[in-house]
Amino acid sequence: MEEDKKPGSRNRLRTVSLVVACGLAGIVAVALGLMLADALTLYAHESSGGQPMLYVMEQAEPGENRIVPLTEQDFADHPALDAVIRGEERNPSAWEWGMSDRRFIGGANVSYAESRALQDAYGPDRETWVYPHLEYEGAYYLVVTTWP
């Protein structure tokens, strides 16, 4: 009880609570700053006049790569992928000379957000940098997105 009456213990409690409050405010400020930087980066890319692209190649055999079966939900989530593989953007080229097991089947403009979503879903493995093969109706596809 006598310690509660001492002004030193109250000051220590105030100091600790002030340090904790400042630490939490700093963490929130850093998180908000990172979110703002990400939003500004996307805005700058979209305002640059360039347009990200989705390119799809068909491959005869997947080899030993990981295979991801495409579902109706995948096509609903990524309309550009649907347009290239099953729709109006599909325009298969001849099987490439020298690479007789691969051909370009089409491409489409996508937004930066869609490009990022496609890259996250179907991009290369971060350790091996090998792209998965997407399987749909017995055919195998590679998906590549580019930013200007």
Side-chain angles (χ1 to χ4, degrees):
M1 286 242 203
E2 292 180 16
E3 289 181 9
D4 290 339
K5 295 179 182 177
K6 290 182 182 178
S9 67
R10 288 186 196 159
N11 286 340
R12 189 173 301 138
L13 182 61
R14 285 182 187 159
T15 303
V16 168
S17 59
L18 181 63
V19 167
V20 169
C22 288
L24 289 175
I27 291 170
V28 169
V30 167
L32 289 174
L34 290 173
M35 289 171 53
L36 179 62
D38 187 48
L40 288 174
T41 301
L42 278 177
Y43 176 76
H45 280 295
E46 289 176 352
S47 299
S48 68
Q51 182 74 31
M53 289 289 297
L54 162 71
Y55 295 106
V56 179
M57 290 181 291
E58 184 177 0
Q59 189 154 351
E61 293 294 325
E64 295 182 16
N65 291 7
R66 183 172 61 99
I67 298 173
V68 177
L70 289 176
T71 64
E72 289 300 318
Q73 186 62 45
D74 292 319
F75 290 122
D77 291 344
H78 307 289
L81 187 65
D82 184 31
V84 174
I85 291 179
R86 306 191 299 186
E88 65 274 1
E89 297 297 327
R90 183 178 177 88
N91 186 17
S93 64
W95 293 98
E96 295 181 16
W97 184 82
M99 292 287 288
S100 62
D101 66 338
R102 188 181 297 169
R103 69 179 175 171
F104 177 75
I105 65 160
N109 290 331
V110 292
S111 69
Y112 281 91
E114 177 69 8
S115 176
R116 181 179 282 177
L118 285 163
Q119 187 71 14
D120 290 344
Y122 311 116
D125 180 274
R126 298 292 183 215
E127 292 179 12
T128 62
W129 291 102
V130 174
Y131 283 82
H133 281 73
L134 310 180
E135 189 271 328
Y136 180 70
E137 293 185 347
Y140 300 99
Y141 302 97
L142 290 170
V143 173
V144 178
T145 57
T146 61
W147 286 29

